[in-house]
Amino acid sequence: MDVSTTTWALTVVGLCALIAVDFFIGGRKPHEVSIKEAGIWTIVWVVLAILFGAGLYAAGESRAAGEFAAGYITEKSLSVDNLFVFVLIMAKFAVPTIYQQRVLMIGVLIALVMRAIFIAAGAALISTFSWVFFIFGGFLIWTAWKLVREARAEAAGHEDEAYEENRLLKLVERRFPSTSQYHGTKLFVVENGKRLMTPMLIVMLAIGSTDLLFALDSIPAIFGLTQDPYIVFTANAFALMGLRQLYFLIGGLLKRLVHLSYGLSIILGFIGVKLVLHALHEQGVHVPEISTPVSLAVICGVLVVTTITSLRASRKLGREEQAAPRD
């Protein structure tokens, strides 16, 4: 897809305008987000993504529209998995409910900027070195296997649900003095003549840096579906921008998606194989390539089956817990 500089500029300006509207209408004043508010905004962001994809199709870019749909659904699915960690981060730092949406908004913006840098770097590598597809493909297959192992360990009760601060956070906390008390949405306060960081800034960095680590999986995954930087960026942007509302909408349902990791492992493994096949094809080896419609069908099919089996397993577990004798 040939995208002009003007189109890029208009897209970025449009996305910034949508973010500003989201902030001034729903996120400017700290408050506890209701299910109704979260649901309305989630629908708005999903509809905007659908309209964007439809616009690509109407402009005669049917292939780009299909790639955007596949990329958006994949990134959205990976984002849902990320919400598990966000819940742990909020609990770790004891973030008051009324401030959680502000934390998520800033954290997501940090992640969006950093992902744009990742996407530019990935696109430059791919355009220069075709063998990078082998690395991306192998990494996704390894990640898929890792997800399966982690899911098995969690199911067996061998993993504790606890968030561990990454090296960046530990470095920041060591180098800069901080206070343990929240002061509204302030990032810094002055106490006894000393400038201190508040937990609000620390937790924002935690959300942003954690999502940046998630990009190590999601960026290669979407490059396995499309090598168009414009589609990669817009699919990531639309998937991320609705993440804050999705957190409040399905926060209580996350634990019911017990098979989500297995579904994501299948998707990542599938895309990894797709990348390896594409890399072989680029090297002149005659191998079949997986088309975008097939990719989209596999991704949607896996997510539907995963959701159904997760809800059934959750209901069965709930009935067993109710039937179990109480001491």
Side-chain angles (χ1 to χ4, degrees), residues 10-281:
L10 290 175
T11 301
V12 172
V13 170
L15 292 174
C16 290
L18 291 174
I19 293 172
V21 170
D22 186 7
F23 174 75
F24 284 105
I25 293 179
R28 185 177 183 182
K29 183 179 179 180
H31 64 283
E32 187 171 345
V33 179
S34 66
I35 296 296
K36 180 180 179 181
E37 179 184 345
I40 291 173
W41 276 105
T42 298
I43 292 173
V44 167
W45 284 116
V46 171
V47 169
L48 287 173
I50 293 173
L51 291 176
F52 181 83
L56 290 175
Y57 186 84
E61 299 288 348
S62 57
R63 179 176 179 178
E67 292 175 347
F68 172 81
Y72 172 75
I73 293 172
T74 300
E75 293 298 315
K76 201 69 172 178
S77 304
L78 292 170
S79 296
V80 171
D81 192 44
N82 299 351
L83 293 181
F84 284 101
V85 180
F86 289 177
V87 170
L88 298 179
I89 292 175
M90 295 296 188
K92 167 76 174 181
F93 293 96
V95 182
T97 306
I98 61 173
Y99 301 138
Q100 288 184 3
Q101 64 164 344
R102 179 65 61 84
V103 170
L104 288 169
M105 175 173 285
I106 303 301
V108 166
L109 288 178
I110 293 173
L112 188 57
V113 172
M114 296 305 296
R115 285 197 186 199
I117 297 173
F118 270 39
I119 290 168
L125 284 173
I126 288 173
S127 63
T128 307
F129 308 106
S130 61
W131 49 261
V132 170
F133 287 114
F134 284 113
I135 298 176
F136 281 3
F139 179 74
L140 289 180
I141 294 172
W142 175 80
T143 302
W145 172 240
K146 183 181 175 184
L147 275 177
V148 172
R149 287 190 303 169
E150 291 176 352
R152 287 179 176 176
E154 186 176 345
H158 295 156
E159 286 193 1
D160 297 327
E161 289 191 356
Y163 170 73
E164 295 184 4
E165 297 181 9
N166 55 47
R167 293 181 179 179
L168 173 62
L169 283 182
K170 291 179 180 178
L171 176 63
V172 169
E173 291 176 330
R174 284 198 306 266
R175 296 291 298 272
F176 301 96
S178 62
T179 176
S180 59
Q181 299 295 322
Y182 284 91
H183 295 265
T185 57
K186 293 181 179 179
L187 305 182
F188 294 94
V189 293
V190 177
E191 294 182 356
N192 300 322
K194 195 173 185 179
R195 187 178 177 84
L196 303 174
M197 288 190 309
T198 68
M200 180 65 69
L201 176 58
I202 297 174
V203 73
M204 284 179 179
L205 291 175
I207 293 289
S209 59
T210 300
D211 197 89
L212 183 60
L213 293 176
F214 290 142
L216 296 177
D217 298 338
S218 64
I219 297 301
I222 194 169
F223 269 118
L225 299 169
T226 175
Q227 286 80 59
D228 190 327
Y230 183 75
I231 301 301
V232 172
F233 173 73
T234 51
N236 265 275
F238 278 104
L240 279 175
M241 288 191 299
L243 192 58
R244 175 172 65 90
Q245 292 83 3
L246 197 62
Y247 171 87
F248 296 103
L249 181 63
I250 70 172
L253 299 177
L254 287 175
K255 291 186 177 180
R256 298 181 62 185
L257 300 176
V258 294
H259 296 159
L260 179 61
S261 293
Y262 293 108
L264 291 178
S265 68
I266 294 173
I267 292 173
L268 291 179
F270 168 77
I271 297 175
V273 171
K274 183 177 186 293
L275 273 171
V276 171
L277 291 175
H278 180 72
L280 290 171
H281 182 78

